[in-house]
Amino acid sequence: MSDLQKWQIVGSRMVLDNRWCKVRRDAVKLPDGTIIDDYFVNIRPEIVLVVPVTVDRRLVFVRQYRHGVGEILLEFPAGAMDAGEDNIIEAARREFEEETGYESGELIPIATLYDNPVKDTNRIHIFLAPNATPTGKQHLDITEEIEIILIPLAEIREKIRAREITVSGSLAALYLALDFLHDRGF
């Protein structure tokens, strides 16, 4: 049995609370008794991420500008769950169609991962969307300008080696999805 212990929160207050960013300042007591009075935690919504695969074995990616790093990046469709939204599968279906204009008759949950557990409170819920087909019903948010990129499954490792796919959540989802698909003879 491990001797690891959780930190004890001895005080907490919100220091930033707006629609784009919520930050909590915790005072914590470490297992050795040390008090840290300024440990900042990002309060983040749960994330849904979809790995869409078309009938002809192409993966549906989105390319979009990401202001935090100031880069245009290639990643899987994903987004935050809306406030009050509690159905993870429906949130994934909504984000998938809104961002891509594609749909799938089935969303298969393949993993739930912590995004950045050092400072963030959220998780990423990853789904596989087999037989993804275009609907033409893309509904982008005001902050989104998205290009749809289809990449044949056979070329995906080459794209990773070429550093064309560099977003950690998408890479983790991709490898989990490839493993899932391999186990099912895809």
Side-chain angles (χ1 to χ4, degrees), residues 48 50 52 60 62 77-78 89-105 107 129 132-141 144 146 148:
V48 291
V50 178
V60 181
V62 295
I89 290 177
E90 286 308 310
R93 188 177 317 284
R94 173 185 51 75
E95 281 292 332
F96 172 42
E97 187 171 339
E98 284 177 2
E99 287 195 358
T100 66
Y102 276 71
E103 66 182 4
S104 174
L107 288 181
T133 56
T135 65
K137 298 178 187 175
Q138 193 179 36
H139 301 286
L140 301 177
D141 293 337
E144 294 175 319
I146 292 177
I148 304 303

Side-chain angles (χ1 to χ4, degrees), residues 60-122:
V60 181
F61 282 87
V62 295
R63 186 186 331 256
Q64 60 188 319
Y65 175 73
R66 294 305 201 182
H67 187 67
V69 294
E71 297 287 337
I72 296 172
L73 299 172
L74 188 62
E75 58 194 314
F76 285 119
M81 290 183 65
D82 292 338
E85 193 172 29
D86 59 0
N87 187 319
I88 296 169
I89 290 177
E90 286 308 310
R93 188 177 317 284
R94 173 185 51 75
E95 281 292 332
F96 172 42
E97 187 171 339
E98 284 177 2
E99 287 195 358
T100 66
Y102 276 71
E103 66 182 4
S104 174
E106 163 179 45
L107 288 181
I108 303 167
I110 56 174
T112 296
L113 308 174
Y114 286 99
D115 190 14
N116 177 15
V118 173
K119 294 283 186 178
D120 296 350
T121 60
N122 67 326

Side-chain angles (χ1 to χ4, degrees), residues 6-185:
K6 291 183 178 183
W7 296 358
Q8 179 184 357
I9 298 174
V10 295
S12 186
R13 67 182 176 92
M14 291 298 287
V15 294
L16 182 60
D17 189 359
N18 72 37
R19 76 179 195 159
W20 300 109
C21 186
K22 296 180 187 315
V23 179
R24 185 181 75 218
R25 180 179 179 166
D26 288 347
V28 295
K29 182 177 181 182
L30 304 182
D32 71 359
T34 302
I35 300 289
I36 297 174
D37 70 353
D38 61 350
Y39 197 90
F40 293 91
V41 176
N42 301 310
I43 310 300
R44 304 210 16 170
E46 297 289 286
I47 300 295
V48 291
L49 184 150
V50 178
V51 179
V53 183
T54 64
V55 176
D56 60 351
R57 298 173 55 95
R58 294 185 297 166
L59 294 166
V60 181
F61 282 87
V62 295
R63 186 186 331 256
Q64 60 188 319
Y65 175 73
R66 294 305 201 182
H67 187 67
V69 294
E71 297 287 337
I72 296 172
L73 299 172
L74 188 62
E75 58 194 314
F76 285 119
M81 290 183 65
D82 292 338
E85 193 172 29
D86 59 0
N87 187 319
I88 296 169
I89 290 177
E90 286 308 310
R93 188 177 317 284
R94 173 185 51 75
E95 281 292 332
F96 172 42
E97 187 171 339
E98 284 177 2
E99 287 195 358
T100 66
Y102 276 71
E103 66 182 4
S104 174
E106 163 179 45
L107 288 181
I108 303 167
I110 56 174
T112 296
L113 308 174
Y114 286 99
D115 190 14
N116 177 15
V118 173
K119 294 283 186 178
D120 296 350
T121 60
N122 67 326
R123 297 172 293 176
I124 301 175
H125 304 277
I126 301 169
F127 295 87
L128 179 68
N131 304 315
T133 56
T135 65
K137 298 178 187 175
Q138 193 179 36
H139 301 286
L140 301 177
D141 293 337
I142 192 169
T143 61
E144 294 175 319
E145 183 178 352
I146 292 177
E147 179 183 7
I148 304 303
I149 306 293
L150 300 175
I151 301 175
L153 198 54
E155 296 175 14
I156 207 68
R157 285 184 175 85
E158 176 186 316
K159 299 289 186 188
I160 295 167
R161 283 191 294 273
R163 295 186 176 97
E164 292 180 40
I165 303 168
T166 58
V167 177
S168 61
S170 288
L171 283 167
L174 176 59
Y175 280 108
L176 289 164
L178 290 173
D179 190 52
F180 185 91
L181 291 167
H182 180 267
D183 288 349
R184 281 145 189 82

